[in-house]
Amino acid sequence: MSFNRNIKIAPSILAADFANFGAECEAIEAQGADWVHVDVMDGHFVPNISFGPTTCAAIRPHIKGVMDVHLMIAPVDPYIDAFANAGADVITAHVEAGPHIHRTLQAIRGAGAKAGVALNPGTPAESVAHLLDLTDLICVMTVNPGFGGQKFIDMTDKIKTLRAMIGDRPVHIEIDGGVDAKTAPLVAAAGADVLVAGSAVFKGGSAKNPGPYGDNIRAIRAAAEGTYV
Ligand code: DX5
Ligand code: ZN
């Protein structure tokens, strides 16, 4: 994984056909996805349950590029090795998931993955001020985590603050929740480079009819890149 700030579209397979993850991952990559975003939910940190490390390991061979695992679980630390062994390239933990996010980020890097830290909408940018050299990605949630298909919450000011705090450090800013061709320009202009999108990518298509996935990915990318001057 080499670092750059180009726009990267990361479809969330939370919006894919759960009976068909392998083919869905192959379809979105063939249609232009840069990363594959994998949402892990425990029914405790968030009010929904998705899947765990066994599913991540099963889909890994179907992903050529970056497998971006977003852990919406608490506690995190007992499961880091399982997700690293499942082949996650990026493992993101929430700053709200426990009292020791600093230790968690060290442990993720220690397990050989890139370390991400996610912030719920109610959590300020300053909560990661002392983590900037320990993290490879800051995920700004633009919905309250737990479900796909929710309405975008504007976090533009937080994104700008984080972009300034990051400075020259090789830290991605990822946006997760309600990203589509309308909201992508706002977050890209504020400094985001990784755009997670679930419903906006998977709408209208399927693994057997993947053309709409490509149309949707291209529309989001064009909208985001249009903000460059
Ligand atoms: C929310 C998840 C998101 C979500 C995005 O808890 O972390 O990744 O699936 O879905 P959309 O793009 O539909 O808001
Ligand atoms: Zn996510």
Side-chain angles (χ1 to χ4, degrees):
M1 271 182 78
S2 62
F3 182 85
N4 66 59
R5 289 197 191 285
N6 301 338
I7 293 293
K8 291 163 280 293
I9 309 296
S12 162
I13 60 166
L14 198 62
D17 174 2
F18 269 45
N20 217 1
F21 274 149
E24 291 276 48
C25 290
E26 289 171 9
I28 51 174
E29 283 198 328
Q31 293 295 325
D34 299 290
W35 292 12
V36 178
H37 185 81
V38 180
D39 285 309
V40 175
M41 303 180 181
D42 67 353
H44 167 76
F45 179 69
V46 290
N48 193 10
I49 300 175
S50 58
F51 46 75
T54 312
T55 305
C56 292
I59 65 176
R60 175 72 262 190
H62 301 274
I63 299 171
K64 290 191 198 129
V66 172
M67 184 160 92
D68 173 34
V69 176
H70 177 193
L71 298 182
M72 287 162 275
I73 67 173
V76 175
D77 295 11
Y79 303 101
I80 290 171
D81 283 346
F83 287 102
N85 291 337
D89 297 291
V90 182
I91 299 176
T92 296
H94 271 259
V95 72
E96 307 87 1
H100 297 297
I101 185 67
H102 189 285
R103 173 186 291 153
T104 299
L105 295 173
Q106 287 180 318
I108 292 171
R109 282 189 170 172
K114 298 285 185 190
V117 59
L119 282 69
N120 281 335
T123 302
E126 290 70 22
S127 65
V128 299
H130 298 280
L131 304 172
L132 295 170
D133 292 318
L134 277 176
T135 191
D136 303 291
L137 175 148
I138 300 173
C139 174
V140 178
M141 295 303 302
T142 40
V143 297
N144 286 295
F147 302 94
Q150 302 184 81
K151 192 172 177 307
F152 178 81
I153 302 168
D154 191 347
M155 292 280 132
T156 305
D157 289 348
K158 192 195 290 189
I159 299 164
K160 285 184 183 163
T161 301
L162 288 166
R163 184 66 196 86
M165 285 165 64
I166 287 168
D168 291 337
R169 295 176 180 87
V171 179
H172 299 288
I173 297 182
E174 175 178 75
I175 308 300
D176 191 3
V179 174
D180 59 19
K182 282 205 183 85
T183 55
L186 296 174
V187 299
D193 62 302
V194 184
L195 308 188
V196 175
S199 27
V201 165
F202 285 92
K203 70 175 183 209
S206 69
K208 287 204 174 114
N209 173 34
Y213 295 169
D215 295 340
N216 296 337
I217 289 168
R218 282 188 291 278
I220 298 167
R221 191 191 306 282
E225 289 179 345
T227 65
Y228 288 143
V229 285

